[in-house]
Amino acid sequence: MSVINEMRLDFPALAENESFARMVISGFLLPLNPTLEQLADVKTAVSEAVTNAIIHGYGSGRGTVRMHAKYDDDGLVTIDVIDRGRGIADVAHARQPFYTTAEGEERSGMGFTVMESFMDAVDVQSAVGQGTTVRLVKHIDARAEPLARRA
């Protein structure tokens, strides 16, 4: 396996940038010729991870979210959503449905179960006071030869 394409994007941890991240990942994956379902799955998982970074990582504070994505010649897509915010003390507990750090807000949890339902793998690494990295992995079965190979 060799990496065909890779990108890194840093953006302010603002709520309006969640939709921006969804659009960026969509454009990045288009050369793999994903199905609409595959594209929707990835966009949903990215949306959850970015929202977590903004709301749970930084709260009302300022910060930067980094999205690093790559795909290889076998169609394996890896997306890291990284914050340098508060971090998660107990990742296993945080992965439970309806767990939230957003006290007083109506939230349905941190969305890890949603991410897991749409991706092939989800890995969460975190340290209190240092931030969190959510790694999303999905295999995109190309329906036709990817644009990256046609060139």
Side-chain angles (χ1 to χ4, degrees):
M1 287 186 292
S2 62
V3 173
I4 291 178
N5 200 4
E6 185 171 13
M7 70 94 178
R8 182 178 69 206
L9 174 69
D10 293 345
F11 52 90
L14 302 171
E16 56 263 38
N17 284 335
E18 176 271 331
S19 60
F20 174 64
R22 289 172 57 96
M23 299 283 69
V24 168
I25 202 63
S26 295
F28 179 73
L29 295 179
L30 283 179
L32 290 175
N33 197 20
T35 65
L36 291 177
E37 181 180 359
Q38 290 168 332
L39 201 53
D41 289 353
V42 172
K43 286 170 51 178
T44 299
V46 164
S47 178
E48 292 290 332
V50 168
T51 298
N52 279 351
I54 294 167
I55 292 172
H56 302 286
Y58 295 111
S60 59
R62 295 179 162 254
T64 298
V65 177
R66 171 170 285 174
M67 184 168 61
H68 175 236
K70 62 183 176 181
Y71 57 82
D72 64 27
D73 54 3
D74 287 333
L76 188 66
V77 175
T78 304
I79 304 159
D80 291 333
V81 177
I82 305 159
D83 71 68
R84 297 291 173 232
R86 294 183 274 211
I88 303 169
D90 186 345
V91 172
H93 184 64
R95 290 180 83 145
Q96 299 300 310
F98 303 108
Y99 173 85
T100 185
T101 64
E103 307 262 339
E105 292 186 36
E106 193 171 317
R107 298 256 173 227
S108 60
M110 293 182 72
F112 291 120
T113 54
V114 172
M115 290 179 234
E116 290 167 344
S117 69
F118 290 114
M119 302 300 286
D120 296 329
V122 176
D123 181 60
V124 182
Q125 299 295 317
S126 190
V128 174
Q130 296 179 23
T132 302
T133 298
V134 175
R135 174 163 283 176
L136 307 167
V137 179
K138 187 165 188 81
H139 187 263
I140 303 289
D141 294 318
R143 294 174 294 141
E145 186 175 2
L147 295 175
R149 291 189 188 163
R150 292 183 209 160

